[in-house]
Amino acid sequence: MKGATVERPTTEAMLILNVTKWDADGEEPGFWLLTRGGVIEHTGTGNSWVEWGSGVTTIDGTGAYLTPGFIDLHFHGGGGHSNEDGPEAIKAAVATHCEHGTTRAVVSLVANPLETLLDSVASIASLADEDQSILGSHLEGPFLAADRRGAHHPAHLIDPTAANVQDILRAARGTLRQITIDPGRTDALAAISTFADAGVTVAIGHTSADYDLAVAAFRAGARLLTHTFNAMPGIHHREPGPVVAALDTPGVFFELILDGTHVHPRVAAHLMGAAPHRVALITDAMAASGSADGAYVLGTVGVEVSQGTATLAGTSVLAGSTLTLDKALRMGLKAGIDRVAMIEALTLTPARILGLDAQLGLLKPGYLADLVLLGSDLTVLEVFVGGPVRSAATA
Ligand SMILES: [Zn+2]
């Protein structure tokens, strides 16, 4: 399952011609785009590129689509590598997803002893400086509900405290992009406020929260649902639960695993219809993504992968996916989801959740040159990673 070639930015200019542009602003045939130093410099249609096109590397994309790079807010590994196995494994996992169109990713960590998590977020902070595809970390544990733990080891689940919240923020040095919290944990609402005030995107998930508790979490500063519908109560006509609470709260976004297993594609289509511009497709991929079926380890628990479905060893509990985002795109289109809504959910919406939508997610001048060239069958032909994201202070 080797993916496409991946190009890193150079100071040279590059011109991509004769493609159909496909981003959150719509589709446009006969499109061209000029990049320099990992940034989109000019765009246009037809032959207007001639003004810029002499002496630059030119790629004729006749018959292909050009989309912004996909952004994955939530993955645990890929290509046989797990995020828990250290910097080299994380880089290899990110590289695997990159071959499938993901140019930027937030590195998710499953529940582990707090000391281990602090070491991991500190090492990801260094990695984010080194590899521009890595946007920072997502702590999925340890503040999760035991009865909704999924593949997270129950021994590592704890309540947030003022002290452990500060320890995490300090270790991450500004690179903790996201944290998933069960608002039912003791002192969870205070922790949600503290993380949100520190600029972290707080998600609620792995929770039994009802509608009112979910609304309280959003009021405290949470603004995302972790893998919507999975590891939380669904929508019941007498128990609306966290999904309806999120639908009712403007500014709250939804993660969604569109692999055909975690959520039925028709339910995915209805969620996207009910919450336009607010759904970000994620992989939640574990090590077997882009690799073979077999026995794997997720954090400290054993996982079996059979026909691409990952479950906790000896159970039917789903333990992440083997999805890549190009596959999610194809699945959504097959389910009849609007084409522009699908590409937005892979690009601009996750960028918006991270506050990076002025830099990532559109094919416009000034945006970073994260590009995916897709064949007419929507397989990934070539991937370009643009320059590093600028921090809020310098953007
Ligand atoms: Zn996860």
Side-chain angles (χ1 to χ4, degrees), residues 74-76 108-110 138 140 152 206 226-227 255 257 282 284-285 320:
H74 187 159
F75 83 102
H76 296 275
S108 295
L109 297 166
V110 294
H138 163 215
E140 196 171 5
H152 296 263
H206 288 277
T226 296
H227 42 55
E255 286 186 354
I257 309 170
I282 59 159
D284 197 23

Side-chain angles (χ1 to χ4, degrees), residues 322-391:
T322 59
L323 190 59
T324 50
L325 287 178
D326 57 335
K327 205 169 145 195
L329 175 64
R330 294 189 290 270
M331 183 152 303
L333 295 179
K334 213 171 133 199
I337 298 173
D338 175 76
R339 291 171 59 85
V340 174
M342 275 302 300
I343 214 71
E344 182 180 38
L346 292 165
T347 59
L348 188 61
T349 301
R352 196 178 280 142
I353 291 168
L354 297 173
L356 297 174
D357 51 313
Q359 303 184 52
L360 293 170
L362 288 172
L363 299 181
K364 276 169 60 169
Y367 276 70
L368 297 174
D370 281 28
L371 312 169
V372 182
L373 203 57
L374 292 166
S376 54
D377 60 353
L378 303 184
T379 55
V380 177
L381 302 175
E382 201 160 0
V383 181
F384 303 86
V385 180
V389 297
R390 301 173 291 269
S391 66

Side-chain angles (χ1 to χ4, degrees), residues 245-292:
L247 286 168
D248 280 350
T249 312
V252 172
F253 292 87
F254 302 82
E255 286 186 354
L256 190 67
I257 309 170
L258 187 38
D259 66 345
T261 303
H262 281 76
V263 175
H264 193 286
R266 289 307 310 152
V267 175
H270 279 287
L271 179 70
M272 292 183 71
H277 318 297
R278 294 165 64 191
V279 176
L281 296 176
I282 59 159
T283 63
D284 197 23
M286 40 75 75
S289 168
S291 191

